[in-house]
Amino acid sequence: MTSPQQPQPQPQPEPHDTAAPGAAAPMPPAGAPEPPAQPPAEQPEPRPLAAHPQPEQPPAQAPMPPQAGPAPQEGGPAREAGTMMLQAQQPPAAPGKEAGTMMLQAQAAPQGAPLPPQGAPKDAGTMTLQAQQPPAAPPQQQPYQPQQAPQPPQQQIPAAWQAAGPGGAAPAYVSPIPVRRTNLGHALASEWTKIRSVRSTMWTLGVMIVLNVGIGLMAAVAIAGLGHPTTVVFGSAWFGLLLGTLCVIPLGVLVISSEYGTGMIRTTFTACPSRGRVLTAKAIVLFGLTFVITTVSTVLVAVLHAGMIDGPAPTADQWLRATLGSGLYVAVLSLLALGAGTLLRHSAGAISAMTGLVLLPMLLAVFMLSSESLRPVAKAMIEYSVPNSLGALYDTAFMPGGPSGWQPLLILVGVTAVVLGGAYAALEKRDV
């Protein structure tokens, strides 16, 4: 903005006095002699005018030397000498200057400009204020808006499926995958896969066969070496089978207790919600496997004893009890172990309980025979113990007054039925 000032008579100032901002410099009166030229005095340090409020720490400003003004533009008026320019100066790359500093400096008269005549008032003191364009404001950052994942297109239900159903005209949809109701055969196949795929089955049944056949063969060789005929040919054929029962008992317990220990029983009951069907399948598979293995091994032992030992020929009943009867007895004993494992649901506890049931009555009775008052009790414990009952099948019981013939097998079947009945009831009422 340019505002010329009218000349007024004022006292003669110094040639290089600096006019205050916004006021015209005093001019010498007309007809006064022009003072002699003096060397330009050292200009004071220009005072910066801040375009915007700045901190109270003014940056150091170096004095700007007088610069030659630009040539007048075409068609514009020529500038007079002593024109003051107020303009915004870009801060140099110095670390102390702020952006937007306003500098006031004197501009030299352009070369070739006409000087005013002597004694004429000078039309000077014009102040030009140039504002610097403010820097472009940084683009405002848009608020963060989380992008939603694209929704998958909804699948259109075919018209044929919509028409199917209770209220539709078309028949219901039939899956191409065959759907069959589960039955006991599926449970049997599952339990057979389990029992033949674990190593405990191979080890327990393998050791039982070795003990039965090996000890039976050694007993036959020893008796045949004496050279004396015996009254019962199969009298010593059950020694190895008695030790073999100690291997079958852990197998019956582990068939179900191992699943409780690993948590696999949850998967079994999820696949087959009928718990009674699961226990029935386990009992059938365990009974069949134990019966076949035991019967085959006892038949081999019976043939060895009949061919190597001198004595009367065994009867048909003796052959059945020494082969089929002994196989049934051991198989039913494995079911008793299965029932104990179902009730206790702990492998070590069930195996210990079954081992005590087989051996403990006989051991306690031996110590009780020395007492007259406890002798009847000790005699009954021996007669109904598992070792004595197994020997009764071979006509060589420890106590002749106890069960004989097929009676030991019937007694064991009754006890096993009671234990398995309790196992079925507990399996249906208890949680896994």
Side-chain angles (χ1 to χ4, degrees), residues 172-328:
Y173 172 75
V174 179
S175 174
I177 303 175
V179 179
R180 295 180 297 176
R181 296 179 59 87
T182 57
N183 50 37
L184 183 60
H186 300 135
L188 289 174
S190 174
E191 296 302 328
W192 170 246
T193 303
K194 293 178 185 177
I195 199 170
R196 68 182 175 85
S197 59
V198 295
R199 290 176 292 181
S200 59
T201 304
M202 180 187 64
W203 283 104
T204 53
L205 294 180
V207 172
M208 190 266 294
I209 293 174
V210 171
L211 291 176
N212 189 16
V213 176
I215 295 178
L217 179 60
M218 289 188 295
V221 172
I223 295 174
L226 296 176
H228 301 289
T230 59
T231 56
V232 181
V233 176
F234 300 141
S236 59
W238 60 278
F239 293 160
L241 186 61
L242 178 61
L243 296 178
T245 57
L246 299 179
C247 299
V248 175
I249 288 174
L251 176 62
V253 172
L254 292 175
V255 165
I256 190 168
S257 64
S258 61
E259 295 192 34
Y260 278 105
T262 59
M264 190 65 184
I265 193 68
R266 298 183 180 90
T267 306
T268 301
F269 288 155
T270 301
C272 183
S274 178
R275 300 184 179 184
R277 183 189 302 172
V278 173
L279 185 58
T280 302
K282 289 180 180 294
I284 293 175
V285 171
L286 177 64
F287 179 86
L289 180 62
T290 308
F291 173 74
V292 171
I293 297 298
T294 305
T295 303
V296 170
S297 61
T298 52
V299 167
L300 180 59
V301 174
V303 170
L304 291 175
H305 277 253
M308 297 177 64
I309 298 176
D310 294 336
T315 62
D317 184 63
Q318 290 178 337
W319 273 100
L320 288 177
R321 285 187 281 111
T323 55
L324 185 62
S326 60
L328 289 173

Side-chain angles (χ1 to χ4, degrees), residues 51-76:
H52 300 280
Q54 298 293 334
E56 294 183 2
Q57 298 180 0
Q61 182 67 36
M64 302 298 295
Q67 299 178 359
Q73 298 179 357
E74 294 182 1

Side-chain angles (χ1 to χ4, degrees), residues 329-354:
Y329 191 89
V330 175
V332 173
L333 190 62
S334 67
L335 292 182
L336 181 62
L338 175 63
T342 306
L343 291 173
L344 298 180
R345 300 194 298 182
H346 192 270
S347 300
I351 292 174
S352 301
M354 286 300 301

